[in-house]
Amino acid sequence: MSFMNLVIFAGNLGGDPEVKNVGNSVVTTFSVATTETYKDKSTGEKKSNTDWHNCVAWGRTAEFIGKYAHKGTKALIKGSLHYKTYENKDGNKVTKAEIKLAPFGGFTPFNMQKTSESNHMNFAEKYTNKVTENDEDNIPF
């Protein structure tokens, strides 16, 4: 039996993304803050709790995030939850949760402003696979 590992949330980037080249690919890491607001039952006071999520993206999604996202960018994140275990500098075993973004639709910004046409990149045109007229002959239906 197979199970699904899917995480979806919206939040703000906590800092500028870090972009690295790994072999022939690009990887971008960044953190996203989500804040839950609630009313304290005993005092009636409005309170909030912020959680930080470590995220990683690869390939074209990583390139896009590295180029166009920055600290404070609001985004919808879709991906899968993974755990990395490593030994820290003190020799202690540490487990870290990380969201691996889906390759398509894993990062959807919703507060990026359009600039002039020459400076603005259409994400759908540049970073997704498009079917051209020549490709239509190869579609099996």
Side-chain angles (χ1 to χ4, degrees):
M1 177 183 266
S2 180
F3 294 97
M4 182 184 294
N5 179 355
L6 178 64
V7 176
I8 301 173
F9 60 92
N12 297 310
L13 270 67
D16 291 335
E18 294 181 33
V19 181
K20 296 178 187 170
N21 290 311
V22 178
N24 292 332
S25 190
V26 175
V27 62
T28 300
T29 56
F30 57 98
S31 62
V32 176
T34 56
T35 302
E36 173 187 19
T37 305
Y38 60 95
K39 187 185 253 186
D40 186 303
K41 290 181 181 180
S42 60
T43 65
E45 183 182 351
K46 184 178 177 181
K47 294 189 174 189
S48 63
N49 181 47
T50 300
D51 290 311
W52 289 92
H53 311 279
N54 297 312
C55 300
V56 61
W58 292 84
R60 291 181 181 247
T61 302
E63 291 174 19
F64 174 78
I65 294 167
K67 191 170 183 179
Y68 293 98
H70 53 82
K71 180 179 180 176
T73 297
K74 294 179 188 308
L76 178 67
I77 306 296
K78 296 178 195 171
S80 53
L81 179 62
H82 297 273
Y83 296 94
K84 294 170 78 172
T85 302
Y86 61 94
E87 201 171 287
N88 67 12
K89 64 181 179 181
D90 299 326
N92 297 321
K93 199 175 191 180
V94 177
T95 301
K96 175 181 168 182
E98 182 175 78
I99 309 301
K100 182 179 177 185
L101 272 65
F104 296 101
F107 185 87
T108 306
F110 51 89
N111 72 334
M112 296 178 75
Q113 298 177 358
K114 285 188 175 183
T115 59
S116 70
E117 196 60 38
S118 62
N119 293 332
H120 179 68
M121 181 193 72
N122 183 332
F123 179 73
E125 287 181 14
K126 183 165 183 173
Y127 289 95
T128 59
N129 293 327
K130 297 185 294 185
V131 176
T132 64
E133 288 181 24
N134 295 337
D135 293 332
E136 289 181 1
D137 296 333
N138 297 323
I139 299 174
F141 52 86

